[in-house]
Amino acid sequence: MEKRQLLILKALSAAMLCLCACQSSGLILHPIVLVPGAGGNQLEARLNSDYKPSSWLCRRELAAGRFSDGWFRLWFDPSVLLAPFTKCFADRMTLHYDPEKDDYYNAPGVETRVPHFGSTQSLLYLDPHLRHLSAYMEPLVESLRGIGYKDGETLFGAPYDFRYGMAAEGHPSHVGNKFLDDLRRLVETAAGSNGGKRVILLTHSLGGLFALELLRRSPAPWVQTHVRHLLALSVPWGGAVDAMLTLASGNTLGVPLVDPLLVRAEQRSSESNLWLLPNPAVFGMVQTLVVGPDNASYTAGDVQGFLEGIGFPEGILPYKSRIVPLIEGVGTGPGVAVTCIVGSEVRTAERLVYGRERGFDEQPEVIYGDGDGTVNMVSLLAPERLWKDAEGGQEVKVIKLPGVSHAAVLKDRDSLERIIGEVSRLNSYGDEAVA
């Protein structure tokens, strides 16, 4: 039996006693809505007549027809591993910011859609033909099924177009706002179809930031009526130094054979990557996070200077107008109890030092600190410092998992056991008590 299957089985066995107790007492499981992280669900595209390929390999004829009506899987497609097709992929993933409309849009001629909203189907594997290589939430979903959860009945998925982010209220954000509307309706549907049982929002990484925005932007009576708990895995509440690496010199996100410079422009165009830059309220205004090839030092308080320094001045306006006022609200909690499950004691980029020879066109020397390998510990633990003692008594619980990485929190045996344990605990109390 494969190691991954053994891990799942051990996680399931840890929750069997609670399952038996729930069944014997007649309790109904609180519905769960899963919100994935960046890159954590499939994304499909279709090219229309306005599409201008950057090379003959990127022509519409070579991409169309994989699904009905010309749709094909944009993320994840293994052809991205081959350099000529990496450029095609990057062109199609690229967003464009329109300063007059103050919003982000797809590249001309590229239509995109998120498949299977409401279901966990597009969260299980990024490519269903490469299940062993592209499994994402499948181990977690199998563990939840093991304690009685059923897809479409008590278990729901909220995939989204992770290239887009949110903007401060008062700014247009047509894709992000639509996702929050869809997520709100899904929460209402999940609760309504389960006898009014309040929903557990179970999020990973960037998905936690979207869930937080949903809760902050919803009236308190709606939140208290529909949401029982926010169970947040590996959420970058205050951003991450890793996002500065992504924008400065490109980030392959662990995908082999890909030249980071081929995807850098696309990654710079991503609205959500600006959202993930370090928040000065969390990282402070003094600590140096990046040292440029000219020995210029950049802190979380000088992100605009950083964007100018790396040669991405067009990112300054949307960052200053849309992101800064959004992240200034980091001290405001969601209004429901929160459990943060985070990896720790994994080497995580804390400072980036760029050499003079090629500057930001080469990968930097990395000075490491504590975190989950992607998100810095100061960001993972931000709710404990910012919300726990805030007026109103925001409840925050933190569970640390030493040696568990950002992605492994969805697969690691100990992590799955703790997640299932927390879900089981929430199901073991009456709905009148928010634990």
Side-chain angles (χ1 to χ4, degrees):
M1 185 177 290
E2 294 183 5
K3 181 179 179 182
R4 182 170 59 83
Q5 292 174 308
L6 285 171
L7 297 182
I8 293 171
L9 289 174
K10 289 179 179 179
L12 298 183
S13 64
M16 287 306 295
L17 288 177
C18 178
L19 172 59
C20 294
C22 290
Q23 289 175 334
S24 63
S25 62
L27 293 179
I28 300 174
L29 298 174
H30 282 274
I32 290 178
V33 173
L34 297 171
V35 189
N41 57 259
Q42 298 168 28
L43 187 64
E44 295 175 358
R46 181 169 65 181
L47 309 177
N48 62 39
S49 58
D50 293 329
Y51 175 68
K52 306 298 181 187
S54 57
S55 77
W56 70 271
L57 287 172
C58 303
R59 291 177 300 164
R60 292 172 60 200
E61 296 80 2
L62 297 181
R66 301 183 193 180
F67 300 151
S68 61
D69 300 325
W71 291 95
F72 61 96
R73 186 175 301 105
L74 179 60
W75 179 261
F76 176 74
D77 185 336
S79 69
V80 70
L81 301 177
L82 304 175
F85 295 104
T86 302
K87 185 66 169 61
C88 302
F89 162 80
D91 289 345
R92 295 163 185 169
M93 287 282 286
T94 296
L95 298 182
H96 294 271
Y97 175 68
D98 186 330
E100 292 186 1
K101 296 180 179 179
D102 186 27
D103 208 352
Y104 283 82
Y105 299 88
N106 282 353
V110 180
E111 304 170 42
T112 52
R113 69 182 184 187
V114 178
H116 312 300
F117 184 84
S119 166
T120 63
Q121 186 173 340
S122 75
L123 316 180
L124 302 178
Y125 312 98
L126 302 183
D127 185 339
H129 301 297
L130 298 171
R131 295 191 172 197
H132 293 292
L133 297 177
S134 68
Y136 177 61
M137 279 193 168
E138 186 263 349
L140 174 59
V141 168
E142 284 301 311
S143 297
L144 291 169
R145 288 172 178 164
I147 59 170
Y149 279 91
K150 295 181 179 180
D151 196 15
E153 296 182 14
T154 50
L155 184 60
F156 305 85
Y160 58 97
D161 191 334
F162 44 82
R163 301 170 302 160
Y164 291 88
M166 294 299 303
E169 294 191 75
H171 290 265
S173 182
H174 73 288
V175 174
N177 287 339
K178 182 181 184 303
F179 173 63
L180 288 195
D181 289 342
D182 291 342
L183 180 57
R184 183 178 294 106
R185 284 191 291 268
L186 181 61
V187 168
E188 292 171 351
T189 298
S193 63
N194 283 275
K197 285 284 185 181
R198 291 180 294 167
V199 167
I200 299 169
L201 286 170
L202 205 174
T203 73
H204 180 234
S205 194
L206 179 64
L209 298 185
F210 276 103
L212 178 61
E213 287 303 310
L214 170 70
L215 297 171
R216 282 176 173 170
R217 299 181 189 213
S218 298
W222 183 92
V223 173
Q224 293 303 318
T225 300
H226 292 92
V227 180
R228 176 167 176 73
H229 203 87
L230 175 57
L231 184 50
L233 316 177
S234 307
V235 176
W237 305 106
V241 174
D242 189 71
M244 302 182 86
L245 169 65
T246 298
L247 296 185
S249 45
N251 193 335
T252 65
L253 306 175
V255 178
L257 307 179
V258 174
D259 180 352
L261 294 182
L262 289 179
V263 295
R264 180 173 64 179
E266 174 268 317
Q267 292 174 332
R268 288 180 174 182
S269 79
S270 172
E271 181 182 19
S272 58
N273 281 337
L274 286 179
W275 193 8
L276 293 173
L277 287 167
N279 187 333
V282 173
F283 283 82
M285 304 286 284
V286 177
Q287 180 182 353
T288 296
L289 305 180
V290 176
V291 178
D294 57 355
N295 285 326
S297 296
Y298 302 103
T299 69
D302 189 25
V303 167
Q304 295 179 49
F306 166 74
L307 295 174
E308 181 76 43
I310 64 174
F312 183 43
E314 56 268 39
I316 295 175
L317 175 60
Y319 176 78
K320 180 171 63 175
S321 64
R322 297 166 63 86
I323 303 299
V324 170
L326 176 67
I327 64 176
E328 284 176 345
V330 68
T332 303
V336 297
V338 182
T339 298
C340 300
I341 298 182
V342 304
S344 66
E345 300 177 23
V346 181
R347 294 199 322 162
T348 304
E350 192 166 272
R351 180 180 296 180
L352 313 174
V353 181
Y354 285 89
R356 291 181 176 274
E357 186 174 344
R358 295 184 59 202
F360 295 110
D361 288 341
E362 65 180 352
Q363 294 297 297
E365 175 191 353
V366 179
I367 298 172
Y368 293 96
D370 194 8
D372 67 6
T374 299
V375 182
N376 308 89
M377 188 55 62
V378 69
S379 181
L380 293 167
L381 300 183
E384 196 172 39
R385 178 172 66 88
L386 297 174
W387 301 345
K388 200 166 187 178
D389 298 325
E391 187 177 352
Q394 172 70 65
E395 182 181 343
V396 178
K397 176 181 179 180
V398 174
I399 298 173
K400 291 183 183 179
L401 302 171
V404 177
S405 71
H406 188 75
V409 73
L410 297 171
K411 306 170 185 178
D412 176 80
R413 179 192 64 190
D414 292 338
S415 178
L416 290 173
E417 288 180 355
R418 297 306 293 268
I419 294 168
I420 296 302
E422 286 301 301
V423 171
S424 300
R425 181 180 68 88
L426 292 168
N427 284 322
S428 66
Y429 293 95
D431 198 35
E432 69 280 356
V434 180

